[in-house]
Amino acid sequence: MLTLYGINLSTFTRKVRLALAERGIAYTLQTAAMGSPQVRALNPLGRIPVLVDGDVVVPDSSVIIAYLERACPGPALYPAHAPALARALWLEEYADTRLREATLVYFAERVVKPLFQGKAGDAAALAAAEPLRDEAFGYLEEQLAGGELVPGAGLTVADVAVGAQLITYVQAEAAIDAGRWPRLAAWLDRQRQRPAWAGILAEEAQSLAAARARRGG
Ligand SMILES: N[C@@H](CCC(=O)N[C@@H](CS)C(=O)NCC(=O)O)C(=O)O
């Protein structure tokens, strides 16, 4: 049995969970905080997620998903055709870096501070985040001109990577503005309805609702 060390509201844990669910792979989620001694023993960077498969320890969401592709049967997340593979890997990289940078501040200011730290979010930080958000969403809107991130390839690693980051944004901001980024908003709506995504997102929504209830709002 596979064990995934992470937290259910962590973006990169979500990325791996979406991949596991889409590929129909059973696993146990072991709650483990970033930077904790438990995580540092598995990943010198102290970051989550980390997958443990028997005596194989696999840190990093991208490495985990690549490992699972070889280690477990199930629908492939890496296109066989080289140009499509390159596009999927690039969009995964873009999601993990620029899109993350563009969206994390919303979650930090609107969710983490008020719900988990008892502090008010910083309105100036949110205002300052808008240009990068607009750039990243604009880029993805262009990439979706063909309707899919990797046209003709089905669901790929790009979809779980981009989706994982956008969910973080939606959890903070409630929605992607369909008036400004119609293809991106519609794409995310479609992904969220996939059975593999719906269960994980419902579980995360419950965690957020419980945190809000604890804070009395
Ligand atoms: N490249 C890593 C990034 C993982 C990552 O940054 N995870 C966050 C939680 S979502 C974390 O552990 N942050 C703590 C830190 O960077 O020290 C991956 O793809 O797994």
Side-chain angles (χ1 to χ4, degrees):
M1 173 62 92
L2 303 175
T3 303
L4 183 66
Y5 290 81
I7 299 175
N8 83 356
L9 289 169
S10 128
T11 316
F12 290 100
T13 303
R14 177 185 311 124
K15 176 184 161 192
V16 172
R17 294 187 77 200
L18 292 173
L20 284 159
E22 285 287 355
R23 301 197 63 232
I25 300 169
Y27 68 100
T28 301
L29 178 64
Q30 176 67 52
T31 298
M34 52 194 102
S36 64
Q38 183 185 29
V39 169
R40 285 197 181 281
L42 298 169
N43 177 355
L45 301 179
R47 293 184 182 145
I48 53 172
V50 181
L51 181 80
V52 175
D53 180 13
D55 57 5
V56 181
V57 176
V58 192
D60 193 284
S61 65
S62 301
V63 182
I64 294 169
I65 294 173
Y67 170 78
L68 291 171
E69 189 92 350
R70 292 288 178 93
C72 303
L77 292 180
Y78 294 87
H81 189 48
L85 175 65
R87 183 173 170 80
L89 292 174
W90 158 244
L91 290 172
E92 178 191 23
E93 170 64 15
Y94 183 82
D96 288 0
T97 55
R98 183 57 65 93
L99 183 60
R100 173 173 174 78
E101 192 189 342
T103 51
L104 192 62
V105 63
Y106 291 88
F107 194 76
E109 300 301 333
R110 288 208 192 277
V111 179
V112 175
K113 282 189 183 171
L115 291 189
F116 296 104
Q117 296 176 349
K119 293 194 277 198
D122 180 348
L126 289 166
E130 285 182 11
L132 191 56
R133 188 257 334 253
D134 294 355
E135 177 199 297
F137 285 14
Y139 177 71
L140 291 170
E141 183 74 10
E142 283 169 19
Q143 301 312 303
L144 284 165
E148 299 300 333
L149 289 173
V150 187
L155 189 104
T156 75
V157 67
D159 296 286
V160 296
V162 170
Q165 303 297 333
L166 290 180
I167 294 296
T168 291
Y169 178 80
V170 167
Q171 284 171 342
E173 290 294 297
I176 290 173
D177 184 345
R180 298 185 66 191
W181 304 288
R183 290 192 286 253
L184 188 61
W187 175 86
L188 186 62
D189 282 348
R190 284 200 304 281
Q191 309 310 313
R192 291 169 77 182
Q193 284 162 25
R194 295 176 71 91
W197 294 47
I200 293 166
L201 300 186
E203 202 183 292
E204 291 194 23
Q206 268 185 358
S207 298
L208 282 173
R212 284 201 177 92
R214 280 195 299 275
R215 286 279 162 200

